[in-house]
């Protein structure tokens, strides 16, 4: 995809296959719609009087308008003007991008970002426009037969209309949005791939491939022997039940031109992604219904890889390190079992009371490994608990942190990219539920507040740096007819990392 700005005041003379202009309910025209309406002798007002109510997520197509050069004008419904916001704008861009893809267009021009809305900048709206084009052009094909494959999207170019004074801002936003969209494509593809293809080894190969493609990235893929030498026995206890070998991925982004010894260099930010490429529950086996969806249990890892791809493309000026413990969680004669006590890399012993609470068992050792980087912040991303879906549904990711500054930065990054998180409690009072008679800590805390006790478990391994945990169990993929990975929370993470550059 190619993104650009279109800054002419004479919007009606823009040559394009499709021009998107927004209209509000109650017949209120956006400035761009007003230009087109004037040029076409009131064609838009006429349409609003008769067939178009301008509800959100609706559009109509007007062809060959007199006085208008664009082949088609797509009227996009924006809903009520007083409630119009950044999320509604992002939705409108998606309507247009989907239209362009469905109509097999090669290019289009959107004037939607030029409409002001509350608590949003043109840069953020340009970013949203590029992300919408990315979302609309994602296709999963790899394992589909020829007859089921959709034709590859023809859409290659989107321009957004803005004033010349705003063009530089818009360009920055488009560049960020494009990198985020490319990162999300990778994240969605890894999530959607079947678990017999997307194995721990495959995730390792993906990291190495990224390092080949981007010169700021360096990948190290540790294998079982090296993981054993690190004493990650909690992680290894989960991997025991599977024939697929575990890997521990370290993928580093070093800003271009950064001198390794520079004194004023900021400490790195570490992202830790849960990489369970299939979670059957282990001996504490899950029920059969929808178990296929547990191929998505590596979406934390996938979002971390997608985010590193994005910041590498942006040549982000901040050191970032991704850590991914990857394995399968399967039952077998060698699998870990309820009652086992394992010693984590930190030295703390863990009583495994439920082998299905495996995410925290692999993450805790990665969190200990993170200490060696003396990081400015560590953020782990995991499809950790069904309880988080009960608490927050599929709208917000769960955010847990004792560090108010870090938490606020992450929440803001989510708001800025329509990839929101909601802060959850993580007080010490909940730690009581993790008491064990036979180890320093138990791996489950009983039914109450399951998402919170999972976060509390992780917190025991994060004493030496500012830390936040994102539970993405409800946001990483969609179930049902449109089952598929969402690419979240790549936008939140990348926006956060952008905000942490000097
Ligand atoms: N990967 C699951 C969490 C999950 C469940 C994500 C459903 C998305 C949809 C995790 O490993 C798990 O099994 N968690 C258990 C924890 C419990 C045993 C304390 C859960 O949520 O049921
Ligand atoms: Mn599990
Ligand atoms: Zn899991």
């Amino acid at each position: 995809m190619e993104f650009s700005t279109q800054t002419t005041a004479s919007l009606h003379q823009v040559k394009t296959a499709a021009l998107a202009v927004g209209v509000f309910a109650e017949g209120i025209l956006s400035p761009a719609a007003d230009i087109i309406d004037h040029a076409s002798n009131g064609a838009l007002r006429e349409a609003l009087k008769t067939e178009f109510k301008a509800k959100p997520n609706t559009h109509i197509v007007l062809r060959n308008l007199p006085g208008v050069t664009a082949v088609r004008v797509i009227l996009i419904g924006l809903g009520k003007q007083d409630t119009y916001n950044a999320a509604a704008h992002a939705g409108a861009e998606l309507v247009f991008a989907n239209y362009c893809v469905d109509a097999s267009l090669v290019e289009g021009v959107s004037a939607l970002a030029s409409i002001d809305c509350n608590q949003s900048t043109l840069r953020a709206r340009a970013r949203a426009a590029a992300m919408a084009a990315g979302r609309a052009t994602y296709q999963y094909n790899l394992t589909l037969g020829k007859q089921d494959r959709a034709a590859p999207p023809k859409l290659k170019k989107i321009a957004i209309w803005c004033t010349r004074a705003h063009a530089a801002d818009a360009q920055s936003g488009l560049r960020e949005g494009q990198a985020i969209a490319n990162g999300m494509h990778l994240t969605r593809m890894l999530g959607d791939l079947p678990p017999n293809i997307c194995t721990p080894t495959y995730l390792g190969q993906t990291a190495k491939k990224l390092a080949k493609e981007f010169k700021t990235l360096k990948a190290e893929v540790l294998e079982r022997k090296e993981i054993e030498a690190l004493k990650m026995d909690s992680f290894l206890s989960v991997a025991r039940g599977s024939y697929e070998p575990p890997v521990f991925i370290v993928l580093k982004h070093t800003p271009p031109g950064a001198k390794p010894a520079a004194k004023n260099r900021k400490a790195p930010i570490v992202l830790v992604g849960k990489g369970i490429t299939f979670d059957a529950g282990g001996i504490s086996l899950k029920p059969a219904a929808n178990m296929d969806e547990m191929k998505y249990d590596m979406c934390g890892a996938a979002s971390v890889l997608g985010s590193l791809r994005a910041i590498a493309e942006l040549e982000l000026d901040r050191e970032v390190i991704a850590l991914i413990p990857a394995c399968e969680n399967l039952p077998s004669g060698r699998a870990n079992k309820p009652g086992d006590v394992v010693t984590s890399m930190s030295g703390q012993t863990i009583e495994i009371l439920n082998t299905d609470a495996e995410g925290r068992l692999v993450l805790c050792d990665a969190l200990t490994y993170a200490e060696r980087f003396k990081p400015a912040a560590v953020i782990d991303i995991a499809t950790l608990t069904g309880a988080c879906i009960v608490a927050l549904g599929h709208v917000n990711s769960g955010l847990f942190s004792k560090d108010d500054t870090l938490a606020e930065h992450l929440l803001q990054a989510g708001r800025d990219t329509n990839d929101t998180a909601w802060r959850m409690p993580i007080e010490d009072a909940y730690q009581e539920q993790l008491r064990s008679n036979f180890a320093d800590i138990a791996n489950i805390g009983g039914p109450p507040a399951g998402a919170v006790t999972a976060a509390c478990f992780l917190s025991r391994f994060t004493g030496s740096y500012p830390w936040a945990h994102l539970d993405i169990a409800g946001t990483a993929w969609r179930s049902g007819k449109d089952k598929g990975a969402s690419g979240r929370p790549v936008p939140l993470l990348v926006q956060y990392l952008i905000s942490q550059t000097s």
Side-chain angles (χ1 to χ4, degrees):
M1 286 285 294
E2 212 181 282
F3 296 97
S4 59
T5 52
Q6 169 57 263
T7 58
T8 175
S10 319
L11 191 59
H12 58 290
Q13 288 172 349
V14 169
K15 252 196 188 162
T16 176
L19 170 66
V21 299
V23 293
F24 293 103
E26 286 128 25
I28 302 167
L29 301 183
S30 65
D34 198 50
I35 295 176
I36 300 301
D37 186 59
H38 272 104
S40 63
N41 283 324
L44 270 54
R45 283 184 202 282
E46 188 60 36
L48 285 167
K49 245 190 263 163
T50 52
E51 72 252 53
F52 193 52
K53 301 282 173 287
K55 291 198 175 134
N57 297 316
T58 63
H59 71 277
I60 56 168
V61 183
L62 303 175
R63 269 169 235 276
N64 306 319
L65 290 183
V68 176
T69 310
V71 180
R72 307 166 186 79
V73 172
I74 320 300
L75 286 194
I76 310 267
L78 304 178
K80 292 211 168 98
Q81 189 171 27
D82 51 348
T83 55
Y84 186 66
N85 59 15
H89 164 257
E93 295 283 7
L94 187 61
V95 168
F96 180 54
N98 280 333
Y99 170 81
C100 291
V101 171
D102 291 346
S104 304
L105 304 182
V106 177
E107 56 77 39
V109 177
S110 169
L112 297 167
S114 65
I115 304 164
D116 278 327
C117 58
N118 280 339
Q119 296 178 342
S120 151
T121 58
L122 179 63
R123 179 168 173 169
R125 294 195 296 277
R127 195 189 298 134
M131 283 162 59
R135 179 157 163 196
T137 50
Y138 174 78
Q139 273 180 349
Y140 179 85
N141 269 328
L142 195 81
T143 49
L144 292 175
K146 270 210 183 88
Q147 67 283 3
D148 290 328
R149 282 183 197 201
K154 295 212 167 66
L155 189 61
K156 293 285 175 295
K157 273 184 185 169
I158 292 278
I160 67 169
W161 182 68
C162 61
T163 63
R164 192 157 303 159
H166 282 127
D169 265 358
Q171 291 286 1
S172 311
L174 289 172
R175 179 169 171 266
E176 290 162 0
Q178 177 160 33
I180 291 171
N182 289 338
M184 289 173 87
H185 271 212
L186 173 64
T187 300
R188 292 176 72 178
M189 185 57 73
L190 290 171
D192 285 339
L193 280 171
N196 58 330
I197 294 178
C198 186
T199 59
T201 305
Y202 188 93
L203 289 179
Q205 287 165 346
T206 304
K208 283 188 174 156
K209 228 168 103 186
L210 283 176
K212 263 207 184 127
E213 193 178 344
F214 294 95
K215 59 180 189 304
T216 69
L217 297 182
K218 261 184 83 174
E220 250 183 298
V221 180
L222 309 185
E223 296 183 356
R224 193 191 298 271
K225 277 230 166 74
E226 297 153 288
I227 303 169
E228 279 167 2
L230 286 165
K231 295 199 157 50
M232 293 185 169
D233 285 358
S234 180
F235 170 30
L236 287 167
S237 82
V238 177
R240 283 177 64 85
S242 159
Y243 286 106
E244 286 295 336
V247 297
F248 188 84
I249 302 169
V250 184
L251 183 62
K252 286 188 193 171
H253 164 81
T254 310
K259 292 185 202 81
K263 277 219 182 81
N264 57 358
R265 196 161 138 193
K266 285 190 186 168
I269 295 171
V270 174
L271 303 181
V272 178
K274 173 178 172 183
I276 300 294
T277 59
F278 191 74
D279 179 13
I283 297 296
S284 313
L285 190 64
K286 285 184 181 296
N290 303 321
M291 205 206 268
D292 66 289
E293 293 192 12
M294 283 301 117
K295 72 174 181 177
Y296 291 115
D297 213 17
M298 36 56 72
C299 280
S303 71
V304 165
L305 291 172
S307 297
L308 264 84
R309 193 203 182 285
I311 62 164
E313 184 177 325
L314 291 170
E315 303 191 333
L316 191 85
D317 189 19
R318 182 77 192 245
E319 190 183 358
V320 179
I321 300 165
L323 302 178
I324 296 172
C327 68
E328 292 184 328
N329 185 28
L330 298 183
S332 92
R334 291 165 45 86
N336 63 5
K337 53 197 175 295
D340 281 1
V341 174
V342 295
T343 304
S344 66
M345 183 181 179
S346 74
Q348 297 176 82
T349 57
I350 303 166
E351 186 183 15
I352 301 175
L353 290 174
N354 188 320
T355 66
D356 198 10
E358 85 297 341
R360 59 199 83 178
L361 295 176
V362 306
L363 290 169
C364 68
D365 284 340
L367 290 168
T368 301
Y369 187 89
E371 288 174 1
R372 68 186 56 202
F373 302 111
K374 300 192 171 44
V378 176
I379 301 146
D380 78 77
I381 304 96
T383 48
L384 203 62
T385 65
C388 192
I389 312 178
V390 175
L392 297 175
H394 305 286
V395 177
N396 287 294
S397 302
L399 170 67
F400 302 78
S401 182
K402 288 186 177 175
D403 188 309
D404 291 339
T405 310
L406 176 57
E408 193 42 54
H409 285 159
L410 289 164
L411 291 172
Q412 188 58 43
R415 285 182 217 115
D416 289 345
T417 51
N418 304 301
D419 181 13
T420 51
W422 195 265
R423 193 157 176 198
M424 299 276 284
I426 180 173
E427 297 122 272
D428 288 338
Y430 293 97
Q431 293 280 357
E432 172 63 21
Q433 287 174 242
L434 295 170
R435 221 184 49 79
S436 159
N437 286 354
F438 304 106
D440 296 331
I441 185 171
N443 83 324
I444 54 169
V452 183
T453 52
C456 284
F457 179 97
L458 297 177
S459 78
R460 301 268 193 121
F461 301 84
T462 62
S464 72
Y465 45 68
W467 162 76
H469 157 60
L470 283 166
D471 193 330
I472 58 166
T475 52
W477 76 91
R478 287 174 268 273
S479 307
K481 186 170 79 45
D482 294 320
K483 189 188 291 182
S486 67
R488 292 178 69 181
V490 170
L492 179 157
L493 291 171
V494 175
Q495 184 60 24
Y496 165 73
L497 294 170
I498 291 172
S499 77
Q500 296 305 301
T501 56
S502 35

